[in-house]
Amino acid sequence: MNELESRQEICRIGASLYARGYVHASAGNISVKLDDGSFFITPTDACLGNLVASELAHVGADGVQLSGARASKTLVLHRSIYEASQQARCVIHTHATHLVSLTLQGVWRDTDIVPPITPYYVMKVGHVPLIAYQRPGAPGVTTEVTSRIAQSVAAHTPIRGVMLERLGPVVWHASPAEASAVLEELEETAKLWLMSDRQATALSEAQIQELRETFGALW
């Protein structure tokens, strides 16, 4: 995408997520990495439901803001994810209700916040580790997230997201549409898991292996 298309796509995804209740108020942020290494990111405290393309913050590869409204305070985390994951060209963070609720009630396990209960969760999302609570914007979050990405790459099961305890998911992919799809699948799987009183049976290893062989699932 060129710069104009990137701006428009951020606004489209933001409005879509807001309209369907995946984000609320001024919670959440979206960024896109451009071919020259710079970024567009939503402004601090912006409502994703009514973003203005011309007001998106444009930040250079060195982290210096070039134009637009003041960049989201999560910029450091976004930039670190882009550096750690070769696949990432869009990062989305929200305070998705069911996922935050899950961290309050207790996740499945720290390395996988929900079990692999559906094939599309395995194929589209993959492993999502829990990042223990730290205040919003804490430097330690960035360190922990990049460490988890490095661990997943070393294990040949690269991750597409993490869950910040009490704050919400951070997901990434090669485009805004693909990153949004990861977020939605993750939130809906958390909803299913909670609706089943966390009693739903995970797919078997044989069933997951079939998804790996047939669809290239990263699980």
Side-chain angles (χ1 to χ4, degrees):
M1 295 184 295
N2 60 34
E3 291 192 10
L4 177 58
E5 291 169 335
S6 296
R7 288 179 183 271
Q8 293 173 335
E9 188 68 349
I10 289 173
C11 294
R12 184 189 72 81
I13 292 295
S16 176
L17 292 174
Y18 184 84
R20 292 175 295 135
Y22 288 98
V23 294
H24 59 276
S26 61
N29 37 76
I30 304 172
S31 70
V32 166
K33 183 179 180 180
L34 304 176
D35 289 341
D36 65 0
S38 65
F39 312 87
F40 286 130
I41 189 167
T42 49
T44 186
D45 294 328
C47 173
L48 297 192
N50 55 13
L51 295 170
V52 178
S54 61
E55 295 179 359
L56 296 176
H58 187 197
V59 181
D62 57 2
V64 176
Q65 184 156 345
L66 304 173
S67 65
R70 184 161 61 92
S72 168
K73 58 182 173 292
T74 61
L75 174 62
V76 173
L77 175 59
H78 285 235
R79 290 182 63 217
S80 296
I81 290 171
Y82 290 126
E83 292 175 2
S85 173
Q86 294 183 346
Q87 183 187 43
R89 293 299 297 266
C90 175
V91 176
I92 301 176
H93 167 56
T94 76
H95 298 180
T97 303
H98 292 90
L99 285 162
V100 174
S101 177
L102 181 63
T103 70
L104 300 177
Q105 298 182 51
V107 299
W108 185 47
R109 59 192 188 192
D110 286 353
T111 52
D112 293 297
I113 61 169
V114 292
I117 57 176
T118 70
Y120 275 89
Y121 179 73
V122 172
M123 292 188 292
K124 301 297 185 181
V125 182
H127 300 285
V128 178
L130 179 70
I131 306 299
Y133 176 78
Q134 297 184 51
R135 64 162 176 81
V141 172
T142 297
T143 301
E144 182 65 20
V145 172
T146 54
S147 174
R148 292 298 186 105
I149 293 173
Q151 291 171 17
S152 73
V153 171
H156 304 292
T157 53
I159 59 176
R160 297 189 179 113
V162 297
M163 180 64 199
L164 308 184
E165 184 180 4
R166 296 178 179 263
L167 290 174
V170 182
V171 302
W172 53 89
H173 213 303
S175 70
E178 290 170 299
S180 178
V182 172
L183 170 69
E184 295 169 42
E185 193 69 42
L186 178 57
E187 168 71 352
E188 292 303 315
T189 305
K191 184 190 298 185
L192 288 172
W193 179 234
L194 291 171
M195 287 173 62
S196 73
D197 293 325
R198 294 182 288 181
Q199 299 300 311
T201 303
L203 294 171
S204 68
E205 178 55 32
Q207 290 169 325
I208 292 174
Q209 182 59 30
E210 184 179 21
L211 296 175
R212 294 188 187 106
E213 294 170 355
T214 306
F215 302 105
L218 298 177
W219 192 276

Short mmCIF file of all heavy atoms in Angstrom, two decimals, residues 55-101:
data_model
loop_
_atom_site.label_atom_id
_atom_site.label_comp_id
_atom_site.label_asym_id
_atom_site.label_seq_id
_atom_site.Cartn_x
_atom_site.Cartn_y
_atom_site.Cartn_z
N GLU A 55 -4.86 13.22 10.18
CA GLU A 55 -4.38 13.46 11.54
C GLU A 55 -3.57 12.31 12.11
O GLU A 55 -3.02 12.41 13.21
CB GLU A 55 -5.58 13.74 12.46
CG GLU A 55 -6.30 15.04 12.12
CD GLU A 55 -7.50 15.29 13.01
OE1 GLU A 55 -7.78 14.44 13.89
OE2 GLU A 55 -8.16 16.33 12.82
N LEU A 56 -3.46 11.20 11.38
CA LEU A 56 -2.65 10.08 11.86
C LEU A 56 -1.21 10.54 12.03
O LEU A 56 -0.69 11.32 11.22
CB LEU A 56 -2.71 8.92 10.88
CG LEU A 56 -4.08 8.26 10.67
CD1 LEU A 56 -3.99 7.20 9.60
CD2 LEU A 56 -4.62 7.68 11.97
N ALA A 57 -0.57 10.07 13.06
CA ALA A 57 0.83 10.44 13.31
C ALA A 57 1.74 9.70 12.34
O ALA A 57 1.62 8.49 12.16
CB ALA A 57 1.21 10.10 14.75
N HIS A 58 2.63 10.45 11.69
CA HIS A 58 3.64 9.87 10.81
C HIS A 58 4.97 9.95 11.55
O HIS A 58 5.42 11.04 11.91
CB HIS A 58 3.71 10.62 9.49
CG HIS A 58 4.60 9.96 8.48
ND1 HIS A 58 5.08 10.61 7.36
CD2 HIS A 58 5.12 8.70 8.42
CE1 HIS A 58 5.83 9.79 6.66
NE2 HIS A 58 5.88 8.62 7.28
N VAL A 59 5.57 8.79 11.80
CA VAL A 59 6.78 8.71 12.61
C VAL A 59 7.89 8.07 11.80
O VAL A 59 7.69 7.03 11.15
CB VAL A 59 6.52 7.90 13.89
CG1 VAL A 59 7.78 7.83 14.75
CG2 VAL A 59 5.37 8.51 14.68
N GLY A 60 9.06 8.66 11.81
CA GLY A 60 10.18 8.13 11.06
C GLY A 60 10.71 6.83 11.66
O GLY A 60 10.38 6.46 12.79
N ALA A 61 11.54 6.14 10.89
CA ALA A 61 12.13 4.89 11.35
C ALA A 61 12.94 5.07 12.62
O ALA A 61 13.12 4.14 13.41
CB ALA A 61 13.00 4.29 10.26
N ASP A 62 13.42 6.30 12.85
CA ASP A 62 14.20 6.59 14.06
C ASP A 62 13.35 6.96 15.26
O ASP A 62 13.86 7.26 16.33
CB ASP A 62 15.19 7.73 13.78
CG ASP A 62 14.48 9.00 13.28
OD1 ASP A 62 13.24 9.02 13.19
OD2 ASP A 62 15.20 9.98 12.97
N GLY A 63 12.01 6.93 15.09
CA GLY A 63 11.12 7.23 16.19
C GLY A 63 10.76 8.69 16.33
O GLY A 63 10.00 9.05 17.24
N VAL A 64 11.27 9.53 15.46
CA VAL A 64 10.97 10.96 15.52
C VAL A 64 9.69 11.25 14.73
O VAL A 64 9.57 10.84 13.57
CB VAL A 64 12.13 11.79 14.95
CG1 VAL A 64 11.77 13.28 14.92
CG2 VAL A 64 13.39 11.57 15.78
N GLN A 65 8.73 11.94 15.37
CA GLN A 65 7.48 12.22 14.68
C GLN A 65 7.69 13.26 13.59
O GLN A 65 8.33 14.29 13.79
CB GLN A 65 6.42 12.70 15.67
CG GLN A 65 5.05 12.92 15.01
CD GLN A 65 3.89 12.82 15.95
OE1 GLN A 65 4.01 12.34 17.08
NE2 GLN A 65 2.73 13.29 15.51
N LEU A 66 7.11 12.98 12.41
CA LEU A 66 7.28 13.84 11.24
C LEU A 66 6.08 14.75 11.01
O LEU A 66 6.23 15.87 10.55
CB LEU A 66 7.51 12.97 10.00
CG LEU A 66 8.70 12.00 10.07
CD1 LEU A 66 8.71 11.09 8.85
CD2 LEU A 66 10.00 12.76 10.19
N SER A 67 4.88 14.25 11.33
CA SER A 67 3.68 15.04 11.09
C SER A 67 2.50 14.41 11.82
O SER A 67 2.60 13.30 12.36
CB SER A 67 3.37 15.14 9.59
OG SER A 67 3.07 13.86 9.06
N GLY A 68 1.36 15.12 11.80
CA GLY A 68 0.13 14.60 12.39
C GLY A 68 -0.01 14.91 13.86
O GLY A 68 0.84 15.57 14.47
N ALA A 69 -1.10 14.42 14.46
CA ALA A 69 -1.34 14.58 15.88
C ALA A 69 -0.36 13.74 16.68
O ALA A 69 0.29 12.83 16.15
CB ALA A 69 -2.78 14.20 16.22
N ARG A 70 -0.25 14.02 17.98
CA ARG A 70 0.73 13.34 18.83
C ARG A 70 0.50 11.83 18.82
O ARG A 70 -0.60 11.35 19.06
CB ARG A 70 0.66 13.87 20.26
CG ARG A 70 1.71 13.29 21.20
CD ARG A 70 1.88 14.18 22.43
NE ARG A 70 0.65 14.29 23.19
CZ ARG A 70 0.33 13.50 24.22
NH1 ARG A 70 1.15 12.54 24.59
NH2 ARG A 70 -0.79 13.68 24.88
N ALA A 71 1.56 11.08 18.55
CA ALA A 71 1.47 9.63 18.40
C ALA A 71 1.06 8.94 19.69
O ALA A 71 1.36 9.41 20.80
CB ALA A 71 2.81 9.08 17.93
N SER A 72 0.40 7.80 19.54
CA SER A 72 0.01 6.98 20.68
C SER A 72 1.22 6.65 21.56
O SER A 72 2.33 6.46 21.06
CB SER A 72 -0.63 5.68 20.19
OG SER A 72 -0.76 4.74 21.23
N LYS A 73 0.98 6.57 22.85
CA LYS A 73 2.06 6.26 23.80
C LYS A 73 2.57 4.84 23.64
O LYS A 73 3.59 4.47 24.24
CB LYS A 73 1.58 6.49 25.24
CG LYS A 73 0.37 5.69 25.65
CD LYS A 73 -0.04 6.02 27.08
CE LYS A 73 -1.35 5.37 27.48
NZ LYS A 73 -2.52 5.93 26.74
N THR A 74 1.89 4.01 22.85
CA THR A 74 2.34 2.63 22.62
C THR A 74 3.31 2.53 21.44
O THR A 74 3.67 1.42 21.03
CB THR A 74 1.14 1.70 22.35
OG1 THR A 74 0.47 2.15 21.17
CG2 THR A 74 0.18 1.69 23.52
N LEU A 75 3.74 3.66 20.91
CA LEU A 75 4.61 3.65 19.73
C LEU A 75 5.85 2.79 19.93
O LEU A 75 6.24 2.04 19.04
CB LEU A 75 5.02 5.08 19.39
CG LEU A 75 6.04 5.22 18.25
CD1 LEU A 75 5.49 4.67 16.95
CD2 LEU A 75 6.45 6.68 18.09
N VAL A 76 6.48 2.86 21.10
CA VAL A 76 7.70 2.09 21.34
C VAL A 76 7.42 0.60 21.22
O VAL A 76 8.21 -0.16 20.61
CB VAL A 76 8.29 2.41 22.73
CG1 VAL A 76 9.46 1.49 23.04
CG2 VAL A 76 8.75 3.87 22.79
N LEU A 77 6.30 0.14 21.76
CA LEU A 77 5.94 -1.27 21.66
C LEU A 77 5.72 -1.66 20.20
O LEU A 77 6.22 -2.70 19.74
CB LEU A 77 4.67 -1.55 22.48
CG LEU A 77 4.10 -2.97 22.36
CD1 LEU A 77 5.11 -4.01 22.80
CD2 LEU A 77 2.81 -3.08 23.19
N HIS A 78 4.98 -0.85 19.46
CA HIS A 78 4.74 -1.14 18.04
C HIS A 78 6.05 -1.25 17.27
O HIS A 78 6.26 -2.21 16.52
CB HIS A 78 3.86 -0.05 17.43
CG HIS A 78 2.43 -0.11 17.82
ND1 HIS A 78 1.39 -0.17 16.91
CD2 HIS A 78 1.84 -0.11 19.05
CE1 HIS A 78 0.23 -0.20 17.56
NE2 HIS A 78 0.48 -0.16 18.85
N ARG A 79 6.94 -0.28 17.44
CA ARG A 79 8.21 -0.29 16.72
C ARG A 79 9.03 -1.54 17.07
O ARG A 79 9.66 -2.14 16.19
CB ARG A 79 9.02 0.96 17.04
CG ARG A 79 8.44 2.25 16.47
CD ARG A 79 9.33 3.44 16.82
NE ARG A 79 10.64 3.30 16.20
CZ ARG A 79 11.78 3.67 16.78
NH1 ARG A 79 11.77 4.18 18.01
NH2 ARG A 79 12.93 3.53 16.15
N SER A 80 8.99 -1.94 18.31
CA SER A 80 9.75 -3.12 18.74
C SER A 80 9.20 -4.39 18.11
O SER A 80 9.97 -5.30 17.75
CB SER A 80 9.73 -3.23 20.26
OG SER A 80 10.38 -2.12 20.86
N ILE A 81 7.88 -4.46 17.96
CA ILE A 81 7.28 -5.63 17.31
C ILE A 81 7.70 -5.70 15.85
O ILE A 81 8.04 -6.77 15.34
CB ILE A 81 5.74 -5.59 17.45
CG1 ILE A 81 5.35 -5.83 18.91
CG2 ILE A 81 5.09 -6.64 16.54
CD1 ILE A 81 3.88 -5.60 19.20
N TYR A 82 7.70 -4.57 15.16
CA TYR A 82 8.14 -4.55 13.77
C TYR A 82 9.59 -5.01 13.64
O TYR A 82 9.95 -5.71 12.69
CB TYR A 82 7.99 -3.15 13.18
CG TYR A 82 6.55 -2.72 12.97
CD1 TYR A 82 6.07 -1.54 13.51
CD2 TYR A 82 5.67 -3.50 12.21
CE1 TYR A 82 4.76 -1.13 13.32
CE2 TYR A 82 4.36 -3.11 12.01
CZ TYR A 82 3.91 -1.93 12.57
OH TYR A 82 2.61 -1.53 12.37
N GLU A 83 10.42 -4.62 14.57
CA GLU A 83 11.82 -5.02 14.53
C GLU A 83 11.99 -6.51 14.83
O GLU A 83 12.87 -7.17 14.27
CB GLU A 83 12.62 -4.21 15.54
CG GLU A 83 12.75 -2.73 15.18
CD GLU A 83 13.44 -1.93 16.26
OE1 GLU A 83 13.85 -2.53 17.28
OE2 GLU A 83 13.56 -0.70 16.11
N ALA A 84 11.14 -7.05 15.68
CA ALA A 84 11.28 -8.45 16.11
C ALA A 84 10.63 -9.44 15.16
O ALA A 84 11.05 -10.60 15.08
CB ALA A 84 10.69 -8.62 17.51
N SER A 85 9.58 -9.01 14.45
CA SER A 85 8.84 -9.91 13.57
C SER A 85 8.94 -9.46 12.13
O SER A 85 8.45 -8.38 11.77
CB SER A 85 7.36 -9.97 13.98
OG SER A 85 6.60 -10.72 13.06
N GLN A 86 9.54 -10.26 11.28
CA GLN A 86 9.69 -9.91 9.87
C GLN A 86 8.34 -9.84 9.16
O GLN A 86 8.19 -9.12 8.17
CB GLN A 86 10.59 -10.93 9.17
CG GLN A 86 12.03 -10.92 9.66
CD GLN A 86 12.90 -11.88 8.89
OE1 GLN A 86 12.43 -12.74 8.16
NE2 GLN A 86 14.21 -11.74 9.04
N GLN A 87 7.37 -10.58 9.65
CA GLN A 87 6.06 -10.63 9.00
C GLN A 87 5.23 -9.38 9.28
O GLN A 87 4.37 -9.00 8.50
CB GLN A 87 5.29 -11.87 9.48
CG GLN A 87 3.94 -12.05 8.81
CD GLN A 87 3.14 -13.19 9.44
OE1 GLN A 87 3.10 -13.33 10.66
NE2 GLN A 87 2.50 -13.98 8.61
N ALA A 88 5.48 -8.72 10.39
CA ALA A 88 4.60 -7.64 10.84
C ALA A 88 4.70 -6.40 9.96
O ALA A 88 5.78 -5.83 9.79
CB ALA A 88 4.93 -7.28 12.28
N ARG A 89 3.55 -5.97 9.44
CA ARG A 89 3.45 -4.68 8.75
C ARG A 89 2.28 -3.86 9.31
O ARG A 89 2.09 -2.72 8.93
CB ARG A 89 3.25 -4.89 7.24
CG ARG A 89 4.46 -5.49 6.54
CD ARG A 89 5.71 -4.62 6.63
NE ARG A 89 5.58 -3.35 5.98
CZ ARG A 89 5.93 -3.09 4.73
NH1 ARG A 89 6.45 -4.06 3.98
NH2 ARG A 89 5.81 -1.89 4.22
N CYS A 90 1.51 -4.48 10.20
CA CYS A 90 0.44 -3.77 10.90
C CYS A 90 0.33 -4.34 12.31
O CYS A 90 0.40 -5.56 12.50
CB CYS A 90 -0.89 -3.94 10.18
SG CYS A 90 -2.30 -3.21 11.07
N VAL A 91 0.18 -3.46 13.29
CA VAL A 91 0.00 -3.86 14.69
C VAL A 91 -1.30 -3.22 15.19
O VAL A 91 -1.56 -2.04 14.95
CB VAL A 91 1.17 -3.39 15.57
CG1 VAL A 91 0.92 -3.73 17.04
CG2 VAL A 91 2.48 -4.02 15.10
N ILE A 92 -2.11 -4.03 15.87
CA ILE A 92 -3.37 -3.55 16.45
C ILE A 92 -3.41 -3.91 17.92
O ILE A 92 -3.15 -5.06 18.29
CB ILE A 92 -4.59 -4.16 15.74
CG1 ILE A 92 -4.58 -3.83 14.24
CG2 ILE A 92 -5.89 -3.65 16.37
CD1 ILE A 92 -5.72 -4.48 13.46
N HIS A 93 -3.77 -2.94 18.75
CA HIS A 93 -3.98 -3.18 20.18
C HIS A 93 -5.37 -2.70 20.55
O HIS A 93 -5.77 -1.60 20.18
CB HIS A 93 -2.94 -2.44 21.01
CG HIS A 93 -3.26 -2.38 22.48
ND1 HIS A 93 -3.49 -3.53 23.23
CD2 HIS A 93 -3.43 -1.34 23.33
CE1 HIS A 93 -3.75 -3.18 24.48
NE2 HIS A 93 -3.74 -1.86 24.55
N THR A 94 -6.13 -3.54 21.26
CA THR A 94 -7.45 -3.14 21.75
C THR A 94 -7.60 -3.60 23.20
O THR A 94 -6.74 -4.30 23.74
CB THR A 94 -8.59 -3.77 20.92
OG1 THR A 94 -8.73 -5.16 21.28
CG2 THR A 94 -8.33 -3.65 19.43
N HIS A 95 -8.73 -3.21 23.79
CA HIS A 95 -9.09 -3.68 25.13
C HIS A 95 -10.29 -4.61 25.02
O HIS A 95 -11.25 -4.49 25.78
CB HIS A 95 -9.41 -2.49 26.05
CG HIS A 95 -8.26 -1.56 26.27
ND1 HIS A 95 -8.35 -0.45 27.06
CD2 HIS A 95 -6.99 -1.58 25.80
CE1 HIS A 95 -7.19 0.19 27.06
NE2 HIS A 95 -6.35 -0.48 26.30
N ALA A 96 -10.24 -5.54 24.09
CA ALA A 96 -11.36 -6.43 23.77
C ALA A 96 -11.95 -7.08 25.03
O ALA A 96 -11.24 -7.68 25.83
CB ALA A 96 -10.89 -7.51 22.80
N THR A 97 -13.26 -6.95 25.17
CA THR A 97 -13.95 -7.27 26.42
C THR A 97 -13.74 -8.70 26.90
O THR A 97 -13.38 -8.93 28.06
CB THR A 97 -15.45 -7.00 26.27
OG1 THR A 97 -15.64 -5.63 25.90
CG2 THR A 97 -16.19 -7.28 27.58
N HIS A 98 -13.99 -9.67 26.04
CA HIS A 98 -13.91 -11.06 26.49
C HIS A 98 -12.48 -11.48 26.81
O HIS A 98 -12.25 -12.28 27.73
CB HIS A 98 -14.53 -11.99 25.45
CG HIS A 98 -16.01 -11.82 25.31
ND1 HIS A 98 -16.56 -10.93 24.41
CD2 HIS A 98 -17.04 -12.39 25.97
CE1 HIS A 98 -17.87 -10.97 24.52
NE2 HIS A 98 -18.20 -11.83 25.46
N LEU A 99 -11.53 -10.95 26.07
CA LEU A 99 -10.13 -11.28 26.36
C LEU A 99 -9.67 -10.69 27.68
O LEU A 99 -8.98 -11.35 28.46
CB LEU A 99 -9.24 -10.80 25.20
CG LEU A 99 -9.33 -11.67 23.95
CD1 LEU A 99 -8.79 -10.93 22.74
CD2 LEU A 99 -8.61 -12.99 24.15
N VAL A 100 -10.06 -9.44 27.95
CA VAL A 100 -9.70 -8.85 29.24
C VAL A 100 -10.39 -9.61 30.37
O VAL A 100 -9.78 -9.91 31.41
CB VAL A 100 -10.07 -7.35 29.28
CG1 VAL A 100 -9.82 -6.78 30.68
CG2 VAL A 100 -9.24 -6.58 28.26
N SER A 101 -11.66 -9.96 30.16
CA SER A 101 -12.39 -10.73 31.17
C SER A 101 -11.70 -12.06 31.44
O SER A 101 -11.62 -12.52 32.59
CB SER A 101 -13.82 -10.97 30.70
OG SER A 101 -14.53 -11.78 31.62
#
